[in-house]
Amino acid sequence: MAPVTINKAGKHYGGFEALKGVSVDISDGEFVVLVGPSGCGKSTLLRMIAGLEEITSGEIGIGNRVVNDLPPKERDIAMVFQNYALYPHMTVAQNMGFSLKLKGVPKTEIKAKVDRAAQILGLEKLLDRQPRQLSGGQRQRVAMGRAIVRDPQVFLFDEPLSNLDAKLRVQMRSEIKELHQRLKTTTIYVTHDQVEAMTMADKIVVMRDGIIEQMGTPLDLYDRPLNTFVAGFIGSPSMNFINGAAADGGFRTTDGILLPAVNVPASAAVYGIRPEHLHIDPNGIEIEVVVLEPTGSETQVIGRLGTQSINGIFRERITAQPGSKIKVAPDLSVVHLFDKDGKRVN
Ligand code: ATP
């Protein structure tokens, strides 16, 4: 295990600046998720930590060493890729033990380590198979097994679940989390899936266009997003953003509808409320139902507030017809207010 320090790390590809000097401190044993839309630079940062990509500026440290100029194999990291990168002609056991064999580790020791990893991952019965004889989830486990046997200081994951179907993704998500709880190895995990980030991370780093927008615990980001980008990215379905201005002790939408809010600063221009923080209230504001999506446990309402969109999620079974009106109220303690540039103002 080791801490990882990223200090003003920058990356240029020719004239293009993919990373604009980002800094992150990752403690020993921490599970950090780098998340952000396609092209934000998260894979570039991970590959720089792995040593697969040169660092243009700044410093990356693993343990107490600056690793900028160290080749990947000397960094004591193990990386798990999206496509698993298994050797097709080798068995599961050979795939898992290959890096140890290259290092000249004795056969009996390799076998012991492979057996232990196989047991942790439930692969004992598959050790003699070849990758093509495995399901996607099993291949993913072999790729993780290969990382585990090396007993590295840091695990790096690059979108490891994106090739799996939805159900398997959820299952592997908890397996990886459990693995981390068991091994307590410092882990850096890249995904564009905010649900993965929320459910797995000790700390989330939200990136956009080569910079860090915000980092913190999942609940920090959910409760106090610093801007509309993070607010819209974290949480599913996304937060509602309603344009308007401070007025009459509340917030008046551009359609002139007064929304309740406390301590609204004069600079407020966007009213943010998460769908799950609206509730049905006969004295509430009227919204028009556009589409109803019942899931059994709850009902999602895609609606309109004047000319703006608003979504709500309700425990109640709502039977309103599209085009009809329902009355809803926000939970006042979780109203978010942002200025015209999208910066949080309360
Ligand atoms: P995705 O989720 O799509 O993988 P990402 O956040 O991981 O996206 P990166 O792969 O880190 O994004 O890429 C960041 C930016 O750098 C992108 O705009 C990409 O086009 C650019 N980029 C990446 N690799 C190269 C390269 N070898 N040459 C030039 N530009 C590159």
Side-chain angles (χ1 to χ4, degrees), residues 13 26 50 62 78 127 152 176 179 298 326 340:
Y13 290 110
I26 300 169
I62 299 178
L127 286 172
I176 293 176
L179 188 70
E298 57 195 21
I326 58 173
K340 62 174 178 18

mmCIF file of all heavy atoms in Angstrom, residues 13 26 50 62 78 127 152 176 179 298 326 340:
data_model
loop_
_atom_site.group_PDB
_atom_site.id
_atom_site.type_symbol
_atom_site.label_atom_id
_atom_site.label_comp_id
_atom_site.label_asym_id
_atom_site.label_seq_id
_atom_site.Cartn_x
_atom_site.Cartn_y
_atom_site.Cartn_z
ATOM 1 N N TYR A 13 -0.687 17.083 -25.716
ATOM 2 C CA TYR A 13 -0.518 16.243 -26.915
ATOM 3 C C TYR A 13 -0.303 17.233 -28.048
ATOM 4 O O TYR A 13 -1.269 17.839 -28.517
ATOM 5 C CB TYR A 13 -1.766 15.416 -27.202
ATOM 6 C CG TYR A 13 -2.024 14.299 -26.207
ATOM 7 C CD1 TYR A 13 -3.093 14.370 -25.320
ATOM 8 C CD2 TYR A 13 -1.220 13.172 -26.178
ATOM 9 C CE1 TYR A 13 -3.346 13.342 -24.423
ATOM 10 C CE2 TYR A 13 -1.464 12.141 -25.278
ATOM 11 C CZ TYR A 13 -2.537 12.234 -24.410
ATOM 12 O OH TYR A 13 -2.784 11.219 -23.528
ATOM 13 N N ILE A 26 -3.884 11.281 -2.615
ATOM 14 C CA ILE A 26 -4.607 10.030 -2.350
ATOM 15 C C ILE A 26 -3.907 9.329 -1.190
ATOM 16 O O ILE A 26 -2.708 9.075 -1.246
ATOM 17 C CB ILE A 26 -4.601 9.150 -3.622
ATOM 18 C CG1 ILE A 26 -5.302 9.926 -4.746
ATOM 19 C CG2 ILE A 26 -5.263 7.806 -3.353
ATOM 20 C CD1 ILE A 26 -5.147 9.305 -6.116
ATOM 21 N N ALA A 50 0.312 5.301 -14.257
ATOM 22 C CA ALA A 50 0.818 3.967 -14.587
ATOM 23 C C ALA A 50 2.178 4.018 -15.265
ATOM 24 O O ALA A 50 2.898 3.024 -15.297
ATOM 25 C CB ALA A 50 -0.180 3.255 -15.510
ATOM 26 N N ILE A 62 4.461 7.971 -5.922
ATOM 27 C CA ILE A 62 3.828 6.752 -5.397
ATOM 28 C C ILE A 62 4.680 6.326 -4.205
ATOM 29 O O ILE A 62 5.898 6.184 -4.332
ATOM 30 C CB ILE A 62 3.780 5.628 -6.453
ATOM 31 C CG1 ILE A 62 2.963 6.081 -7.675
ATOM 32 C CG2 ILE A 62 3.179 4.346 -5.853
ATOM 33 C CD1 ILE A 62 2.893 5.059 -8.800
ATOM 34 N N ALA A 78 -0.536 -2.194 -10.503
ATOM 35 C CA ALA A 78 -1.137 -3.180 -11.409
ATOM 36 C C ALA A 78 -2.373 -2.539 -12.006
ATOM 37 O O ALA A 78 -3.175 -1.936 -11.296
ATOM 38 C CB ALA A 78 -1.495 -4.446 -10.659
ATOM 39 N N LEU A 127 -9.503 -22.520 -13.513
ATOM 40 C CA LEU A 127 -8.081 -22.235 -13.713
ATOM 41 C C LEU A 127 -7.489 -22.848 -14.985
ATOM 42 O O LEU A 127 -6.521 -22.339 -15.529
ATOM 43 C CB LEU A 127 -7.278 -22.688 -12.491
ATOM 44 C CG LEU A 127 -7.452 -21.781 -11.266
ATOM 45 C CD1 LEU A 127 -6.797 -22.385 -10.024
ATOM 46 C CD2 LEU A 127 -6.881 -20.402 -11.531
ATOM 47 N N PRO A 152 0.460 -5.427 -5.667
ATOM 48 C CA PRO A 152 1.081 -4.132 -5.931
ATOM 49 C C PRO A 152 0.766 -3.127 -4.829
ATOM 50 O O PRO A 152 -0.096 -3.370 -3.981
ATOM 51 C CB PRO A 152 0.390 -3.702 -7.226
ATOM 52 C CG PRO A 152 -0.984 -4.278 -7.094
ATOM 53 C CD PRO A 152 -0.820 -5.585 -6.366
ATOM 54 N N ILE A 176 -15.705 -5.677 -6.573
ATOM 55 C CA ILE A 176 -14.477 -4.869 -6.527
ATOM 56 C C ILE A 176 -14.395 -4.121 -5.198
ATOM 57 O O ILE A 176 -13.357 -4.020 -4.575
ATOM 58 C CB ILE A 176 -14.410 -3.891 -7.728
ATOM 59 C CG1 ILE A 176 -14.252 -4.678 -9.030
ATOM 60 C CG2 ILE A 176 -13.253 -2.905 -7.567
ATOM 61 C CD1 ILE A 176 -14.262 -3.825 -10.287
ATOM 62 N N LEU A 179 -13.433 -6.537 -2.562
ATOM 63 C CA LEU A 179 -12.016 -6.845 -2.730
ATOM 64 C C LEU A 179 -11.165 -5.751 -2.081
ATOM 65 O O LEU A 179 -10.189 -6.015 -1.383
ATOM 66 C CB LEU A 179 -11.712 -6.926 -4.228
ATOM 67 C CG LEU A 179 -10.344 -7.423 -4.617
ATOM 68 C CD1 LEU A 179 -10.242 -8.900 -4.309
ATOM 69 C CD2 LEU A 179 -10.117 -7.192 -6.114
ATOM 70 N N GLU A 298 -41.558 3.300 -7.183
ATOM 71 C CA GLU A 298 -41.761 4.754 -7.207
ATOM 72 C C GLU A 298 -42.259 5.186 -8.585
ATOM 73 O O GLU A 298 -42.322 4.386 -9.509
ATOM 74 C CB GLU A 298 -40.452 5.468 -6.844
ATOM 75 C CG GLU A 298 -39.332 5.075 -7.767
ATOM 76 C CD GLU A 298 -37.948 5.438 -7.266
ATOM 77 O OE1 GLU A 298 -37.783 5.645 -6.049
ATOM 78 O OE2 GLU A 298 -37.052 5.507 -8.103
ATOM 79 N N ILE A 326 -50.081 18.255 -11.449
ATOM 80 C CA ILE A 326 -49.948 17.800 -10.057
ATOM 81 C C ILE A 326 -49.274 18.925 -9.276
ATOM 82 O O ILE A 326 -48.621 19.790 -9.869
ATOM 83 C CB ILE A 326 -49.126 16.484 -9.924
ATOM 84 C CG1 ILE A 326 -47.728 16.647 -10.518
ATOM 85 C CG2 ILE A 326 -49.848 15.321 -10.568
ATOM 86 C CD1 ILE A 326 -46.823 15.444 -10.266
ATOM 87 N N LYS A 340 -25.296 33.069 -12.456
ATOM 88 C CA LYS A 340 -25.478 32.900 -13.911
ATOM 89 C C LYS A 340 -24.315 32.128 -14.536
ATOM 90 O O LYS A 340 -24.446 31.566 -15.628
ATOM 91 C CB LYS A 340 -25.668 34.260 -14.590
ATOM 92 C CG LYS A 340 -24.485 35.187 -14.441
ATOM 93 C CD LYS A 340 -24.696 36.449 -15.270
ATOM 94 C CE LYS A 340 -23.596 37.477 -15.156
ATOM 95 N NZ LYS A 340 -22.303 37.112 -14.656
#
